[in-house]
Amino acid sequence: MSFQEQAEKLIAAEVRMISGCADSQTSADVSNVKEFELPDPAGKAGGACTSALLNILYNDGVAAGEMSWVDMLRRMRVELQGDYTQVPQLSSSRQFDLSNTFEFAKTGYGGTKRAVLIGINYVGQSGQLSGCHNDVLNIQKYIMDVHGFQEENIEVLMDDGYHTSPTRHNITVAYQRIAEVSQSGDAVFCHYSGHGGKLPDDNGDEDDGYDETLIPVDYEHAGQMRDDELLQRLVLPLRAGVTMFSLMDCCHSGTILDLPYRFRADGDTEEFQEESGYNFGGYMGLLGESAETVFCCFMLLKFVWDMVM
């Protein structure tokens, strides 16, 4: 079976992710969002990757015209040059022509646009950030104003005392819920702005010996969220016909969703590269576990329904 055939068998949906940096790089927290000329009347801070993307797509509150994927990524690279050494990259579940027009939220006829937006400033904790809430608010305004997302289909998690807290449990539930409810023709957008990390690989599926992680607000006692878990809970359960676009603005985020294809906007490549040593066999095992989890949840809900009725 070819690499492409294995990729299509493993991941049914079309999934694309832009990350602010490679696994070995550190994402920046921009102290002055005005450096990117974003619409930000409160003057708060924003993340480097989010700010760069929005500056390209939504400058001064006006949506940009059409551009290709490769042009958009390279413009992000230019935005990040100078004080930031980040090289943005695109990961995907499918190969496609990078000269195609960039699409943010592609739906089929009658499809619904859904989003999960997560911003964690780690208020009162060591390593507190300042821009992640602002990232979420800017992104939410953009997807509603430009792409027609409805507020009732956007789930926001922030450690601001008002929104749902971005705990490990709540993030997991939000990702599982959006994967479960999304149907063929729907478009999913997931945005994360916060800390990312690395942990020693615990199952031998990483070439560099490390799992990439998201760091929830309660990481000190709940732990970090490994890339394997994100693949299992968010990516693999998505149905065929669903398209998902994700923006991960955090450190060590290059392969955080464990997708099989990758393009780096470093000027050296013009097309996707297959992920060397991609662990199709191990990830197929996660697919089985994911399906089993969904089945168990369905049977539990059915049992409760029967009891009520």
Side-chain angles (χ1 to χ4, degrees):
M1 189 179 296
S2 69
F3 190 96
Q4 177 181 337
E5 289 171 334
Q6 291 182 86
E8 292 175 356
K9 181 179 180 182
L10 175 67
I11 303 173
E14 292 186 28
V15 181
R16 298 165 183 176
M17 179 192 76
I18 290 178
S19 55
C21 52
D23 293 340
S24 59
Q25 289 183 298
T26 300
S27 180
D29 187 46
V30 181
S31 60
N32 181 11
V33 77
K34 288 298 184 183
E35 182 176 336
F36 292 87
E37 300 178 354
L38 285 177
D40 183 32
K44 300 175 183 177
C49 178
T50 303
S51 295
L53 181 64
L54 283 178
N55 191 48
I56 294 166
L57 299 178
Y58 194 48
N59 196 15
D60 293 327
V62 178
E66 290 187 356
M67 70 187 78
S68 70
W69 283 89
V70 67
D71 286 344
M72 184 271 295
L73 287 160
R74 286 178 175 164
R75 287 180 64 180
M76 281 186 68
R77 178 72 179 104
V78 171
E79 290 282 343
L80 293 167
Q81 284 178 341
D83 294 335
Y84 311 107
T85 60
Q86 298 164 247
V87 178
Q89 62 183 41
L90 171 68
S91 299
S92 180
S93 63
R94 304 282 188 273
Q95 277 188 315
F96 62 91
D97 189 344
L98 290 164
S99 66
N100 290 347
T101 301
F102 169 71
E103 294 179 300
F104 191 93
K106 182 178 70 173
T107 58
Y109 178 76
T112 300
K113 298 177 180 179
R114 312 176 192 276
V116 172
L117 313 179
I118 301 170
I120 314 177
N121 277 346
Y122 308 90
V123 178
Q125 300 187 51
S126 175
Q128 180 171 323
L129 299 175
S130 61
C132 301
H133 296 169
N134 200 51
D135 285 346
V136 166
L137 297 177
N138 281 333
I139 281 285
Q140 183 175 15
K141 176 175 173 58
Y142 169 70
I143 65 175
M144 292 177 68
D145 289 354
V146 176
H147 295 286
F149 282 74
Q150 300 299 308
E151 190 167 7
E152 62 266 25
N153 294 321
I154 301 173
E155 184 165 5
V156 176
L157 292 83
M158 293 197 293
D159 55 337
D160 59 354
Y162 175 74
H163 293 88
T164 300
S165 180
T167 63
R168 179 190 175 99
H169 171 76
N170 288 342
I171 293 173
T172 300
V173 169
Y175 281 160
Q176 287 180 316
R177 179 162 45 235
I178 200 168
E180 182 178 347
V181 301
S182 296
Q183 305 294 321
S184 179
D186 290 353
V188 172
F189 174 60
C190 292
H191 174 252
Y192 174 90
S193 181
H195 278 306
K198 299 177 74 173
L199 291 172
D201 180 17
D202 62 354
N203 62 2
D205 67 337
E206 301 285 350
D207 281 347
D208 63 356
Y210 289 93
D211 282 326
E212 287 66 50
T213 65
L214 300 183
I215 302 181
V217 70
D218 61 343
Y219 72 95
E220 289 184 322
H221 68 267
Q224 302 178 37
M225 299 182 68
R226 294 177 184 265
D227 47 10
D228 294 347
E229 181 178 356
L230 298 176
L231 177 68
Q232 181 182 11
R233 305 298 185 196
L234 174 61
V235 176
L236 297 184
L238 290 170
R239 295 173 174 85
V242 174
T243 60
M244 184 178 88
F245 176 51
S246 178
L247 175 62
M248 293 293 188
D249 196 353
C250 58
C251 303
H252 312 296
S253 54
T255 62
I256 191 68
L257 292 185
D258 277 337
L259 300 175
Y261 297 99
R262 176 165 43 164
F263 168 77
R264 294 193 72 205
D266 54 10
D268 295 333
T269 58
E270 297 286 339
E271 58 187 22
F272 278 109
Q273 305 294 315
E274 296 176 354
E275 284 286 1
S276 177
Y278 193 78
N279 186 20
F280 285 109
Y283 294 149
M284 285 299 293
L286 293 179
L287 181 61
E289 293 174 21
S290 179
E292 182 179 351
T293 300
V294 172
F295 177 75
C296 290
C297 291
F298 171 78
M299 293 303 295
L300 177 60
L301 289 172
K302 183 177 184 301
F303 172 76
V304 173
W305 177 261
D306 290 343
M307 290 290 290
V308 171
M309 299 303 291

